[in-house]
Amino acid sequence: MDIEKYKRPIDRLLAMFSIFVMVMLVVCVVWQVFSRYVLSQPSTSTDELARFSMIWVGLLGAAFAVGKRRHLSIDLFTAELTGIRKLINQLFIDGCVFLFAACAMVWGGMALLMSVFKSGQLSPALQMPMAYVYVVLPLSGLLICWYSALYMLDTLTRHANASSLPEIEGGKS
């Protein structure tokens, strides 16, 4: 199974959106510094927008890192594993990532989002609903779940294909 055809569109969309948010973050910070030190009139709205952009970049970047398998991992004990042990280890890791993202980020994030949405909480400077800020939590959790599920499926598919290949007997013609 070639998971790249399922991953590539999400990777591109996530990368482009993250780049956009990062550029917005940089522009806000530059304007904040300029307005504070050159104009002596600090902008409160860009400070808040930069903070919210940082949250979005961090969480979407985490999802992108999981999608590229560039997330933090320590493989001191697992680097030497082979065969079925390596398969079980990889499925366990991807399963744990999936479970954490599903429970903490999607389920917990949705609970937080609904609570904030019902309260009608607004950001102090921009006066925008805080639910817009928090929606990134379940969104990035869903993306992490998507990537983890794809990797688990790919691991199982590659193992099934490898074990179904006919063995070649050595030395016989």
Side-chain angles (χ1 to χ4, degrees):
M1 173 182 176
D2 181 28
I3 65 167
E4 282 303 313
K5 68 180 177 182
Y6 300 106
K7 273 178 61 325
R8 193 171 296 120
I10 302 296
D11 288 346
R12 285 186 182 151
L13 182 66
L14 195 51
M16 294 305 293
F17 190 72
S18 295
I19 289 168
F20 171 76
V21 174
M22 189 66 181
V23 167
M24 188 170 66
L25 170 65
V26 170
V27 168
C28 285
V29 170
V30 168
W31 176 253
Q32 179 69 19
V33 170
F34 179 77
S35 67
R36 176 175 291 159
Y37 293 108
V38 175
L39 303 177
S40 297
Q41 290 280 337
S43 171
T44 57
S45 59
T46 55
D47 178 48
E48 193 170 270
L49 191 58
R51 197 172 317 121
F52 297 158
S53 298
M54 181 67 96
I55 293 167
W56 274 70
V57 162
L59 288 168
L60 292 176
F64 188 75
V66 169
K68 293 291 185 182
R69 285 210 184 253
R70 298 282 185 235
H71 52 80
L72 180 65
S73 65
I74 300 172
D75 62 352
L76 178 66
F77 301 114
T78 61
E80 302 298 320
L81 294 178
T82 59
I84 193 72
R85 289 183 181 174
K86 185 174 185 128
L87 170 81
I88 291 170
N89 179 61
Q90 194 58 54
L91 289 174
F92 178 74
I93 290 169
D94 289 332
C96 286
V97 169
F98 182 91
L99 201 60
F100 173 79
C103 293
M105 297 178 78
V106 177
W107 186 72
M110 284 302 294
L112 174 67
L113 183 62
M114 298 316 292
S115 172
V116 169
F117 184 73
K118 286 178 185 173
S119 74
Q121 182 182 2
L122 299 175
S123 67
L126 296 173
Q127 291 296 301
M128 70 177 217
M130 287 299 292
Y132 293 164
V133 178
Y134 294 133
V135 75
V136 72
L137 191 57
L139 175 65
S140 61
L142 285 172
L143 290 167
I144 291 171
C145 286
W146 167 255
Y147 284 126
S148 297
L150 277 178
Y151 284 130
M152 286 189 286
L153 188 60
D154 183 54
T155 300
L156 288 171
T157 305
R158 279 188 292 113
H159 176 72
N161 290 342
S163 61
S164 68
L165 294 175
E167 291 189 32
I168 301 172
E169 294 180 32
K172 294 186 180 178
S173 14

